[in-house]
């Protein structure tokens, strides 16, 4: 009896071992799964709560020039007297504009009559367009540069132009091109167009002349020389207008 009871005890003990191991195994696996799920939930939670990091965008470069000079004062009275002799109005005629700080034009014309020596006609137009920096399209200088390229190409196919020549012109703003050509509408005209860019301002200067009543034809080289000089003067006027607009720097307090 005692031997049977002892054997039964050993059988039950051995039979119970797998059950305990199985339960422990299940308990351990359950713990691991629970921990993994917890980690996943915790990671998802922290990931969801974390705000996406964004790099700060670079600030758009501010346009160099914020205004334009008065269009009819871009060149001096002496210049007008020289290149548009006998001008009808030495003060010029300004075109209407809704925003003179961004777009402006002035024209002059004159007929110098010399009796039996004939007459000389001259016409001058100076147009200015200023471009602001805009996030959607770029900086003012880049916008002006793009428009400069377009206007030069457009000028190269001017309707009615004959013997057209286009050459880069150094020393005039940041970039410039001078175009010369002749036209026969309303007389034999010698024409010069200078397209120049000064930072974010585009300048287009048109200058032409014609001779009447037996006068000698205008000297094309002289017209070009005068047009380039007037364009340089205009560039200087744009710069001066913006220098004048800048607020004066107040002196810093003395250290002490």
């Amino acid at each position: 009896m005692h031997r049977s009871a002892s054997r039964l005890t050993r059988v039950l003990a051995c039979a119970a071992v797998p059950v305990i191991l199985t339960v422990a195994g299940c308990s351990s696996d359950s713990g691991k799964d629970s921990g993994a799920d917890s980690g996943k939930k915790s990671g998802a939670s922290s990931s969801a709560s974390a705000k996406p990091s964004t790099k700060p965008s670079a600030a758009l470069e501010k346009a160099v020039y914020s205004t334009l000079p008065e269009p009819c004062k871009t060149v001096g009275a002496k210049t007008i007297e020289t290149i548009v002799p006998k001008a009808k109005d030495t003060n010029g005629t300004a075109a209407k504009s809704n925003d003179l700080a961004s777009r402006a034009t002035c024209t002059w014309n004159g007929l110098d009559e010399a009796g039996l020596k004939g007459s000389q006609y001259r016409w001058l137009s100076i147009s200015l367009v200023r471009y602001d920096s805009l996030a959607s399209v770029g900086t003012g200088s880049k916008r002006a540069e793009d428009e400069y390229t377009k206007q030069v190409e457009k000028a190269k196919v001017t309707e009615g132009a004959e013997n057209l020549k286009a050459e880069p012109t150094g020393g005039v703003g940041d970039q410039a091109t001078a175009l010369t050509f002749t036209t026969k509408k309303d007389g034999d005209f010698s024409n010069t167009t200078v397209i120049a860019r000064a930072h974010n301002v585009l300048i287009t200067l048109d200058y032409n002349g014609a001779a009447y009543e037996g006068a000698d034809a205008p000297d094309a080289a002289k017209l070009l020389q005068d047009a380039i000089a007037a364009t340089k003067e205009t560039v200087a006027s744009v710069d001066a207008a913006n220098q004048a607009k800048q607020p004066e720097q107040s002196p810093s307090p003395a250290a002490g």
Side-chain angles (χ1 to χ4, degrees):
M1 177 72 68
H2 176 74
R3 185 178 298 176
S4 299
S6 177
R7 181 183 296 178
L8 179 60
T9 301
R10 287 199 302 271
V11 171
L12 289 175
C14 291
V17 169
V19 175
I20 295 171
L21 291 175
T22 302
V23 172
C26 291
S27 175
S28 175
D29 290 342
S30 176
K32 288 180 181 178
D33 291 342
S34 176
D37 290 341
S38 176
K40 289 178 181 179
K41 290 179 181 180
S42 176
S45 176
S46 66
S47 175
S49 62
K51 294 182 180 179
S53 60
T54 56
K55 294 182 179 180
S57 57
L60 188 67
E61 179 185 323
K62 186 178 179 181
V64 176
Y65 293 136
S66 60
T67 191
L68 295 175
E70 291 184 45
C72 295
K73 293 184 178 180
T74 51
V75 292
K78 187 175 181 180
T79 298
I80 296 301
E81 184 180 333
T82 301
I83 68 177
V84 189
K86 304 294 182 180
K88 287 183 179 180
D89 186 353
T90 56
N91 293 322
T93 302
K96 293 182 179 179
S97 173
N98 294 328
D99 184 4
L100 288 173
S102 296
R103 186 180 296 271
T105 300
C106 189
T107 59
W108 298 260
N109 69 85
L111 181 65
D112 185 8
E113 298 177 295
L116 296 176
K117 293 183 179 180
S119 303
Q120 291 285 344
Y121 176 79
R122 297 291 185 273
W123 182 83
L124 172 67
S125 171
I126 299 177
S127 297
L128 307 98
V129 181
R130 185 183 62 81
Y131 296 87
D132 279 320
S133 295
L134 299 174
S136 57
V137 287
T139 66
S141 293
K142 183 61 169 64
R143 294 178 66 200
E145 184 178 359
D146 291 343
E147 189 60 28
Y148 164 83
T149 302
K150 291 178 183 178
Q151 291 303 318
V152 169
E153 293 305 312
K154 183 178 179 181
K156 288 179 180 178
V157 292
T158 299
E159 184 177 356
E162 299 179 3
N163 306 312
L164 191 149
K165 296 179 182 179
E167 294 182 357
T169 304
V172 184
D174 292 295
Q175 54 187 154
T177 296
L179 302 99
T180 58
F181 55 95
T182 59
T183 54
K184 294 186 178 299
K185 185 178 181 180
D186 300 325
D188 293 334
F189 276 80
S190 295
N191 305 266
T192 297
T193 296
V194 181
I195 301 172
R197 179 182 69 85
H199 294 298
N200 57 306
V201 172
L202 186 67
I203 299 166
T204 302
L205 184 144
D206 292 306
Y207 182 47
N208 63 51
Y212 297 104
E213 300 170 352
D216 293 336
D219 184 342
K222 182 66 166 60
L223 289 180
L224 176 59
Q225 179 183 337
D226 289 341
I228 291 174
T231 306
K232 288 182 178 179
E233 193 172 341
T234 301
V235 170
S237 294
V238 172
D239 190 64
N242 284 273
Q243 294 297 331
K245 189 176 180 181
Q246 290 180 359
E248 294 183 3
Q249 295 290 335
S250 58
S252 56

